[in-house]
Amino acid sequence: MQIGGLQEFSLVDYPEHYSCVVSLTGCNWRCPWCRATDFVLPEISKRAGKISEKRILDFLKQKQNILEAVVISGGEPTIHKDLPKLCSNIKKLKYKVKLDTNGSNPEMLNNLITNNLVDYIALDIKAPKAKYPLVIGFKGSLANYLIDNVEKSINLLKQNNVPYEFTTTFSPQLTRKDVLQIAHWIRPAKKYRLQLCHIQDQDEEQETQAHRTLFSIQQAITPFFDECDIR
Ligand code: SF4
């Protein structure tokens, strides 16, 4: 496992808890709007410094009076076989653990849930089923396999008691209809969070229009979820 980043403090990444964010390097997908390319693309992440697990754990020992939770993000954390060990070491220090995932590895999610190694999971839904191959850049049987895995992860979260949220970034690849289709796919669910994709060089009018569209989507799909918000 390579740890590529440590954001020492966050008020927004773990609901209702002061957290830090640990970013693991590497991802099995290549989403076009990815904002974490520092932790995804090998040519970039190789140049970035490595942070040892010991340094992370030492940092957490020092911050036990301030921080309450650790968000494990990426990249895609579930590609790392030693993720359960990292979660376990963090939980031994009495921190809550949140996992950000693309849902491609339901076996790892099941392992973490079964062994009480996560307290919150955010699963990013990239597109409606039919559009997933286009958005994540895979075709044919591999795309079908990955979509099946995402669906298994969705069902796993809905069947378990670990708090979770589904999220979707309203990227330029998605239309209003796409997000409505996603909502119909994952409904009913506890929490669905929509977020705007921040695009470089987007003018104010385009951004306002994207906000309006997202707001109208939220109004249409709110009845499907216990909670539906925009971040
Ligand atoms: S799954 Fe997440 S980290 Fe990986 S490429 Fe897509 S947006 Fe980036």
Side-chain angles (χ1 to χ4, degrees):
M1 171 189 296
Q2 183 178 331
I3 300 172
L6 170 64
Q7 183 188 328
E8 295 192 356
F9 186 72
S10 169
L11 281 171
V12 296
D13 286 278
Y14 196 124
E16 294 167 23
H17 290 288
Y18 298 123
S19 66
C20 66
V21 182
V22 174
S23 297
L24 306 190
T25 301
C27 184
N28 46 355
W29 293 358
R30 293 291 181 272
C31 307
W33 66 88
C34 179
R35 293 175 63 202
T37 48
D38 286 3
F39 306 119
V40 169
L41 301 174
E43 61 274 21
I44 299 179
S45 59
K46 248 188 239 164
R47 288 199 301 266
K50 271 189 195 176
I51 302 174
S52 69
E53 183 175 328
K54 182 178 179 309
R55 198 187 129 198
I56 299 289
L57 297 175
D58 286 345
F59 167 79
L60 293 174
K61 280 175 199 160
Q62 286 167 16
K63 300 292 174 184
Q64 275 168 321
N65 292 335
I66 304 165
L67 296 175
E68 301 163 312
V70 178
V71 177
I72 302 182
S73 192
E76 173 50 39
T78 64
I79 64 171
H80 299 284
K81 288 194 174 60
D82 41 0
L83 177 63
K85 185 173 154 277
L86 175 65
C87 295
S88 169
N89 287 338
I90 293 171
K91 286 189 72 68
K92 277 181 199 154
L93 297 173
K94 309 289 180 210
Y95 284 92
K96 287 182 176 295
V97 173
K98 171 177 175 257
L99 180 74
D100 290 343
T101 179
N102 62 20
S104 59
N105 192 342
E107 289 83 13
M108 174 64 84
L109 286 186
N110 192 36
N111 176 356
L112 296 171
I113 291 170
T114 308
N115 292 296
N116 295 318
L117 294 173
V118 275
D119 302 283
Y120 197 101
I121 297 173
L123 198 172
D124 196 17
I125 314 277
K126 308 289 182 190
K129 260 194 206 182
K131 218 169 169 176
Y132 245 92
L134 182 75
V135 171
I136 64 174
F138 290 99
K139 290 181 188 159
S141 55
L142 180 58
N144 291 336
Y145 170 74
L146 293 171
I147 297 163
D148 278 354
N149 277 352
V150 172
E151 190 152 67
K152 281 182 193 160
S153 294
I154 291 169
N155 292 332
L156 186 70
L157 296 196
K158 288 164 78 167
Q159 286 157 10
N160 276 280
N161 290 326
V162 174
Y164 69 86
E165 66 187 38
F166 298 130
T167 63
T168 293
T169 300
F170 189 46
S171 71
Q173 279 80 8
L174 295 183
T175 63
R176 183 179 194 277
K177 191 175 161 199
D178 289 332
V179 183
L180 295 178
Q181 283 177 352
I182 295 172
H184 280 277
W185 178 26
I186 63 176
R187 67 184 278 199
K190 283 184 190 154
K191 188 167 176 182
Y192 187 36
R193 167 163 283 178
L194 301 166
Q195 45 199 22
L196 208 56
C197 186
H198 295 287
I199 303 162
Q200 245 183 349
D201 303 329
Q202 192 176 38
D203 64 38
E204 209 173 298
E205 198 180 317
Q206 287 167 318
E207 203 168 316
T208 306
Q209 185 52 44
H211 265 291
R212 279 202 194 110
T213 307
L214 208 55
F215 185 61
S216 86
I217 293 170
Q218 183 205 17
Q219 286 187 315
I221 65 176
T222 289
F224 304 156
F225 305 100
D226 295 351
E227 207 180 315
C228 177
D229 62 11
I230 297 175
R231 176 170 154 189

